Amino acid sequence: MDYVNLGRSGLLVSPLSLGTMNFGPRTSEEDSFAIMDRAHELGLNFFDSANVYGGVKGEGITEQIVGRWFAQGGGRREKTVIATKVYGDMGDWPNERRLSALNIRRACDASLKRMQTDYIDIYQAHHVDRDTPFDEFWEAMEILRQQGKIIYVGSSNFAGWHLAKAQETAARRNFMGLISEQTHYNLLTRAPELEVLPAAEDYGLGVIPWSPLAGGLLGGVLRKIDKGRSAAEHVVKQLERHRDKIEQYEKFSDELGEDPANVALAWLLKQRAVVAPIIGPRTLEQLEGSLRALEINLDEAALARLDEIFPGHRTAPEDYAW
């Protein structure tokens, strides 16, 4: 495994991040343990979670599963760069959501307890909170870092100007600021190319794409349906919108002799500032299959063909002005 720096930090992570969102709702605890153990065997050290994952409001079931896995010992915690998130609704009372200093403090302590660890490697804002000033956000994160409860701070679902404002506020406070941005980015969703990726690159943030397979549309959905395998209703609806592109894409993947899912991941790894797409395997087979993406080297002709199928964006403002 060739590990890479997460943004401008010295932190080394695997070029694929193991997403844990399926642990609990779709993958049993036993299978989740097996997937995490196998991830380590394959060299993956970067795991991503969130306090709201698990399907039951306020329970943090996915973090609990990760915690019980850590508790088995054997170096599991020490070998893992664990990232989790704060923002989502964890209760029915005020201040049990979003990015107030009060919720950040309480949510961090709760995540630490659920994951049975005394520190979080990367504590991420799950979404921008337009009602909380960045000075308040950073003060809360600075205190957590001073207490040794977190090491790095990341963001998710920030616009380019949110990244700039966050980083300039952190710099004014003589704080390192964000080291990563987790954004919705894939061949079908290329809006981050306008401003998020350029801002992340300029500020030295590592980009962690979520939903790299566009909810399954880029994972060979047509061949699965042709074989009689079911697809979620929302995937079927999206497929009808993008069928022509998906047909071209799966045909091109066949020409390359590669699985469409792995082509999508390999393409992301070629994009500016991208460090580690998040994979969310439900099975060991899916986990092991994803590693093939690290061996695919898309040449300029292949990248150009993918741009023809899924047109992208130039950096703003040249994308729409001069």
Side-chain angles (χ1 to χ4, degrees):
M1 184 67 63
D2 293 325
Y3 298 96
V4 290
N5 289 89
L6 185 56
R8 69 194 186 287
S9 77
L11 183 66
L12 291 173
V13 297
S14 50
L16 292 175
S17 175
L18 178 67
T20 63
M21 190 168 66
N22 288 319
F23 295 175
R26 304 180 73 180
T27 304
S28 70
E29 183 162 323
E30 180 182 2
D31 289 345
S32 299
F33 282 14
I35 288 171
M36 289 186 282
D37 281 333
R38 183 58 176 152
H40 272 185
E41 292 173 3
L42 294 169
L44 299 182
N45 73 333
F46 190 16
F47 294 8
D48 178 76
S49 193
N51 60 355
V52 293
Y53 291 170
V56 181
K57 183 178 178 179
E59 294 295 317
I61 289 173
T62 299
E63 285 187 335
Q64 290 185 41
I65 290 173
V66 173
R68 288 189 287 271
W69 180 73
F70 282 155
Q72 295 179 97
R76 287 175 171 84
R77 175 64 187 98
E78 293 76 12
K79 294 175 182 176
T80 303
V81 174
I82 187 66
T84 195
K85 309 183 196 75
V86 55
Y87 178 94
D89 193 344
M90 294 294 288
D92 297 326
W93 282 78
N95 304 308
E96 291 186 287
R97 61 188 65 83
R98 308 187 76 166
L99 301 180
S100 69
L102 177 59
N103 187 50
I104 287 174
R105 174 178 176 172
R106 289 175 174 171
C108 181
D109 286 344
S111 287
L112 290 170
K113 183 177 181 180
R114 284 190 291 267
M115 294 195 294
Q116 302 190 48
T117 183
D118 56 3
Y119 70 98
I120 294 165
D121 296 289
I122 311 168
Y123 201 36
Q124 302 166 118
H126 208 160
H127 197 280
V128 66
D129 184 352
R130 296 177 177 86
D131 293 330
T132 300
F134 274 112
D135 274 312
E136 179 180 350
F137 171 77
W138 283 125
E139 183 179 31
M141 292 297 185
E142 289 162 11
I143 291 171
L144 291 179
R145 194 165 190 266
Q146 290 164 5
Q147 293 173 334
K149 295 179 179 179
I150 68 172
I151 299 177
Y152 298 100
V153 182
S155 61
S156 182
N157 303 306
F158 277 30
W161 74 273
H162 297 139
L163 296 178
K165 192 168 184 179
Q167 295 304 77
E168 294 303 324
T169 304
R172 189 171 66 244
R173 300 176 64 91
N174 295 313
F175 193 66
M176 183 178 185
L178 304 170
I179 66 161
S180 61
E181 159 60 17
Q182 193 175 124
T183 194
H184 186 196
Y185 185 39
N186 54 56
L187 278 163
L188 271 170
T189 304
R190 298 186 60 170
E193 295 168 356
L194 286 163
E195 298 196 28
V196 173
L197 300 191
E201 186 175 51
D202 190 70
Y203 282 104
L205 276 62
V207 172
I208 308 167
W210 63 266
S211 194
L213 305 185
L217 286 176
L218 300 171
V221 64
L222 291 176
R223 62 192 68 186
K224 292 175 183 177
I225 291 176
D226 289 344
K227 291 180 180 178
R229 293 168 60 181
S230 62
E233 183 179 349
H234 73 278
V235 173
V236 174
K237 289 181 178 179
Q238 288 296 312
L239 175 58
E240 293 312 307
R241 287 182 55 199
H242 303 290
R243 177 173 286 273
D244 180 61
K245 291 180 180 180
I246 299 301
E247 287 176 350
Q248 294 181 62
Y249 175 63
E250 293 198 12
K251 180 180 178 182
F252 181 60
S253 297
D254 288 339
E255 292 172 6
L256 293 175
E258 301 289 351
D259 185 273
N262 293 332
V263 173
L265 292 170
W267 176 84
L268 278 169
L269 289 167
K270 284 281 193 177
Q271 305 312 303
R272 63 195 300 181
V274 168
V275 173
I278 297 174
I279 57 172
R282 297 189 304 277
T283 65
L284 281 172
E285 181 183 19
Q286 290 177 347
L287 169 66
E288 292 170 352
S290 297
L291 271 291
R292 170 59 187 163
L294 302 180
E295 302 172 358
I296 299 173
N297 184 23
L298 298 174
D299 59 23
E300 291 302 317
L303 293 171
R305 176 62 182 136
L306 290 170
D307 281 338
E308 289 178 5
I309 299 171
F310 303 105
H313 295 278
R314 292 185 297 163
T315 300
E318 288 84 357
D319 188 78
Y320 48 81
W322 58 273

